[in-house]
Amino acid sequence: MMIEVSHISKSFVSPKKYPGLKGAIKGLFSTEKIEKKAVDDISFSIKEGEIVGYIGSNGAGKSTTIKMMTGILSPTEGNCLVNGVDPNKKRKENAKNIGVVFGQRTQLWWDLPLSESFTILKEIYDVCDEDYAERMEFLNRVLELQEFFDRPVRTLSLGQRMRADLGAALLHNPRVLYLDEPTIGLDLVVKENIREAIKEINAKYKTTVILTTHDIGDIEELCSRIIIIDQGKKIYDGSLQKLKDLYGAKRTVSMEVRNYNQKKLANLWETLGVKEEDYETEYDKEQRILSVAFDKNKIHVPEILTAVMSQMEVKDVQIEETQLEDIVKQIYHSGVK
Amino acid sequence: MKVYLPFASNELKRQMAYKGAFYLFLFISLFGSFISYYLWKAVYGSANSTTIGGLTQQEMIIYVFMTYVTSSMVTISLADWVSEDVVKGLVAMNLIKPIDYRMSLIWRAGGQMLYRFLMPGVFVWIGLEFYKHYALGMPFVKFTTVLCFLCSASMSFLLYVLFDFCFGMIAFFTTYIFGMLMAKEALLSFLMGQLIPLSMFPGWAQKIFEFLPFPSMVYTPVMIYLGKYQRSELVFALGRQFIWIVLLYALGSVVWNRVTKRLVVLGG
């Protein structure tokens, strides 16, 4: 196992705040504290070479978990092992095994040309000249760093900076790569480049990747396994396919119809013998589109189509599968089935 | 060692990248020294005795400019960097690297120290020596004195940055320490002897200073340069600097360990 996290918890203690001016004065004398559990008893293990998507809504505790795995924060309870090292006890030793990209921050030297940052990192991680040359050649190919290698970091665009940051995190060939929202704010082309780069790195060096993101595209393209957390608790851990099977049973058929008639439609469901909770219909008057959302295990698409077509004139049909985004939304709202 | 060297060389390069800020710093601080030079001239001109606080007028001129040379090298505000890192949430970016945060800051400060020593420091110093020799008719400074001064000034630098690191740790608890940094600078310029020689303070105040690390930061090396310390006094002054370095190093380690335990990284 590359990463073993067992029963890890982190709570933050902050002084209690009271509302209003009176409250502010009260706050000066109060010693009451509020304890907030950001991460609550999470366990999982990750094998070498896996790419795992770690997802959850804002403030769910994703970044806090990552920070405990990198040794920045110390857990309140529980512990974790990364490549056999406890990051909390041996931060520096652990740091040699990991690479980190925080999408919203940079580890590069802001005022200096990018090349300088790489030279410093070479020294810090004690990368020998041969490895450095080989690694740079690879990074240049997948991330195209050379076009802005001599420019000061502060003049780089967000996409360039993110590529540079990813390169910087990979220079010492880490066993584990943590990516905290690596594609935030990037345009589609750059996103695609970054994803391709991550895939190549994972394939070539067998780097274990843990990725937090709000971008469903990242997950669909990269991750074979996902972990979902909500309010500090793990609520799902398994393959992407399984999640889709569990939640992705919903289909939507949109039909452009003439002579729409609500009464006829109601009769139609009765003749089909379908219960009311198994479907949802919606009619868009302006565009004349009737959309029916249903459970694909209970009703079949042809049944609906023939039934509707027998009553109304259908001009166009579109069938949509549930997007992962909808599944995640659904889980955030109502929890796991 | 080799790991931290780039921090120093990069700070050097960074300093050169912002030329405007550097020349402004140079101008303002030199300007201040000339103001105090003329002030002291006026004070000595109207004084009844030839020495004030144990210094003659010539010695006072040397004091003013050597204080400038020393403090521009020594007073490198680590705490500014720490507070910047805390506010921007960059401490995390330092903790993901296999390095010691304090060491990287000290080496970075070392780079800046070297730059300030080379850029105005050494030239002001040489200029002062010529002025002293040809205008004031005093002999050039002795080589051994220069060695002792450089040794003491290096320790002053370490002492100052170690103290400033401890001070910067406050940023982790209060998040924003800009006001405190200003207050620190004002208070320290007094306590280090940057504004007026400590020998001009009343006796009881000087007794208190004996137990504080601040006189060792600027006052001690300048007094060594002026040749005010004889053998045993010199050894005592250097020894005291060394002890303060050890103490502040230990204090910094303790505080840092506590800070990282309760670290809250800003911005998620």
Side-chain angles (χ1 to χ4, degrees), chain B residues 175-204:
Chain B
T175 312
Y176 192 66
I177 60 165
F178 180 72
M180 290 175 91
L181 286 174
M182 300 289 281
K184 178 204 80 176
E185 220 150 277
L187 192 65
L188 280 197
S189 62
F190 243 106
L191 296 177
M192 293 189 306
Q194 214 177 340
L195 279 180
I196 45 172
L198 294 180
S199 57
M200 295 179 66
F201 280 94
W204 58 268

Side-chain angles (χ1 to χ4, degrees), chain A residues 10 12 63 67 70-74 88 91-92 95-96 98 100 102 105-107 109 111-112 116 119-121 123-126 154 165 180, chain B residues 2-4 6-7 10-11 13-14 17-18 88-90 92-101 256 260-268:
Chain A
K10 176 78 191 177
F12 295 109
S63 295
K67 276 168 191 152
T70 52
I72 298 170
L73 291 178
S74 52
N88 184 37
R91 179 182 67 79
K92 280 193 251 177
K96 284 182 189 157
I98 63 167
V100 188
F102 288 118
R105 304 204 171 101
T106 180
Q107 61 163 322
W109 274 256
D111 311 299
L112 297 171
E116 297 285 349
T119 322
I120 305 177
L121 290 169
E123 292 296 326
I124 288 177
Y125 289 101
D126 201 16
R154 59 169 191 274
D165 250 310
D180 195 356
Chain B
K2 198 173 145 245
V3 170
Y4 296 102
F7 285 92
N10 258 323
E11 182 58 26
K13 289 176 200 155
R14 211 181 67 89
Y18 293 108
K88 289 187 184 164
L90 292 174
M93 304 316 294
N94 283 292
L95 289 178
I96 58 169
K97 298 188 179 102
I99 48 165
D100 190 77
Y101 183 53
W256 174 245
T260 43
K261 281 279 172 297
R262 53 153 285 164
L263 183 65
V264 178
V265 178
L266 298 179

